Amino acid sequence: MCGRFAQYNSRNEYFDALKIKDDEIIYDPQPIGRFNVAPGTKVLLLNERDEHLHLDPVYWGYGPDWWHKQPLINARGETAASGRMFKPLWHHGRAVVPADGWFEWKRDASHKQPYFIYHQNKQPLFFAAIGKAPYDKDHGHEGFVIITAASNKGMVDIHDRRPLVLSSDAVAEWLSPETTPERAEEIAQDAALPEKAFAWHPVDKAVGSIKHQGAELIERIDHPLV
């Protein structure tokens, strides 16, 4: 986790959940319409700079010049604040990915079955993220990563990691440059939604290919392989 997610609602849905007023941010009100967001693409990222909120398209992945491997797409919440790779981003590049759910694959010996995971009340989700700020500049493959948390209280039957989903009330403080790195660690621990907040169902394996992008990818199927 997290390797695919959905970001399809209108920006209004996300901003209403955060109680952002129309005059606080400039945005396109049309639905985003992305049902199969993959690493290596640009993703709309909510961030704060110059005392204003911004929604910028940012590369999903982080690979600085000295990193000679594929760009990383996730960072463990337990170590992101202190590790060599991510500590500078934790201090100065906190952001949020508005989303509607994410995909995980459940495996047995011979099959992989994708599942779509979402808020049980169909509410917008806000993934904690860190990256190379400022986000209005193109930093190439130094984009952003999604913070993950351990999943050991009810979702382990699908995957042992999950995105760290912040409560809507915690987003503003997480984004604020005035929030200390230490306080951000507390937010990551205390304001993350628990496993019981989510529901999931099996979906068609077509989601495994990024050439498939339609709304049918999040529809429940009746006969999962696993």
Side-chain angles (χ1 to χ4, degrees), residues 113-134:
Q113 173 61 55
Y115 283 76
F116 184 58
I117 306 170
Y118 49 94
H119 195 287
Q120 62 178 347
N121 296 327
K122 305 294 181 67
Q123 296 177 7
L125 305 180
F126 301 100
F127 299 162
I130 52 175
K132 181 69 175 289

Side-chain angles (χ1 to χ4, degrees), residues 13 39 58 90 94 137-139 161 189 200 213 221:
E13 298 289 335
V58 182
W90 187 277
R94 292 189 303 275
K137 300 186 183 302
D138 187 349
H139 302 291
R161 305 294 299 182
Q189 290 183 346
W200 56 85
Q213 293 288 333
I221 63 170

Side-chain angles (χ1 to χ4, degrees), residues 31-51:
I32 297 171
R34 297 185 69 185
F35 292 88
N36 193 8
V37 180
T41 63
K42 289 194 172 182
V43 177
L44 289 178
L45 198 66
L46 186 65
N47 61 98
E48 182 178 339
R49 62 177 181 272
D50 302 323
E51 300 183 353

Side-chain angles (χ1 to χ4, degrees), residues 161-175:
R161 305 294 299 182
R162 61 185 176 90
L164 197 158
V165 182
L166 296 175
S167 69
S168 58
D169 293 339
V171 167
E173 189 177 10
W174 170 264
L175 294 178

Side-chain angles (χ1 to χ4, degrees), residues 140-205:
H141 287 180
E142 292 185 274
F144 78 93
V145 296
I146 293 172
I147 302 297
T148 66
S151 183
N152 55 8
K153 299 178 184 176
M155 294 177 69
V156 71
D157 54 335
I158 292 183
H159 206 278
D160 63 350
R161 305 294 299 182
R162 61 185 176 90
L164 197 158
V165 182
L166 296 175
S167 69
S168 58
D169 293 339
V171 167
E173 189 177 10
W174 170 264
L175 294 178
S176 174
E178 302 301 318
T179 299
T180 66
E182 294 76 19
R183 174 57 185 154
E185 289 188 67
E186 294 176 356
I187 294 170
Q189 290 183 346
D190 300 338
L193 297 186
E195 283 86 347
K196 65 182 181 181
F198 304 102
W200 56 85
H201 60 249
V203 295
D204 193 277
K205 63 181 182 180

